[in-house]
Amino acid sequence: MSKQLECRVVLTHKGSTFTLGMYDPVSGRYEPLGTHPTKDKDKIIHDLKVRIEREGHRLTFSEVQGSR
């Protein structure tokens, strides 16, 4: 059985788009996952949440305004 990890999803809002990334609180590493239109946010977040939870990991979110 693999170790359960905390997957922290970071959303940075920038007007009509948002950037998505994963932050590892243990190592302090941030991995960008791309920029997306705000109108698609719910579907993108839902799909990512389902995938992460299916793999058995914990999921947390953080949202910020402006640049990261």
Side-chain angles (χ1 to χ4, degrees), residues 25-46:
V26 175
S27 69
R29 183 174 157 206
Y30 176 81
E31 186 69 34
L33 299 176
T35 299
H36 307 278
T38 300
K39 66 180 180 72
D40 298 336
K41 183 171 91 169
D42 289 342
K43 181 182 180 341
I44 292 167
I45 297 303
H46 176 267

Side-chain angles (χ1 to χ4, degrees):
M1 184 164 158
S2 64
K3 181 179 174 184
Q4 183 184 43
L5 302 173
E6 176 186 351
C7 297
R8 187 170 302 167
V9 175
V10 180
L11 290 97
T12 305
H13 299 278
K14 297 178 180 181
S16 64
T17 64
F18 72 98
T19 58
L20 190 61
M22 296 287 288
Y23 173 73
D24 178 2
V26 175
S27 69
R29 183 174 157 206
Y30 176 81
E31 186 69 34
L33 299 176
T35 299
H36 307 278
T38 300
K39 66 180 180 72
D40 298 336
K41 183 171 91 169
D42 289 342
K43 181 182 180 341
I44 292 167
I45 297 303
H46 176 267
D47 292 349
L48 184 60
K49 176 184 181 298
V50 168
R51 180 176 175 192
I52 290 170
E53 289 178 343
R54 215 179 262 156
E55 292 177 7
H57 304 301
R58 285 188 6 205
L59 179 65
T60 59
F61 290 93
S62 179
E63 292 189 72
V64 295
Q65 296 289 330
S67 61
R68 175 171 156 29

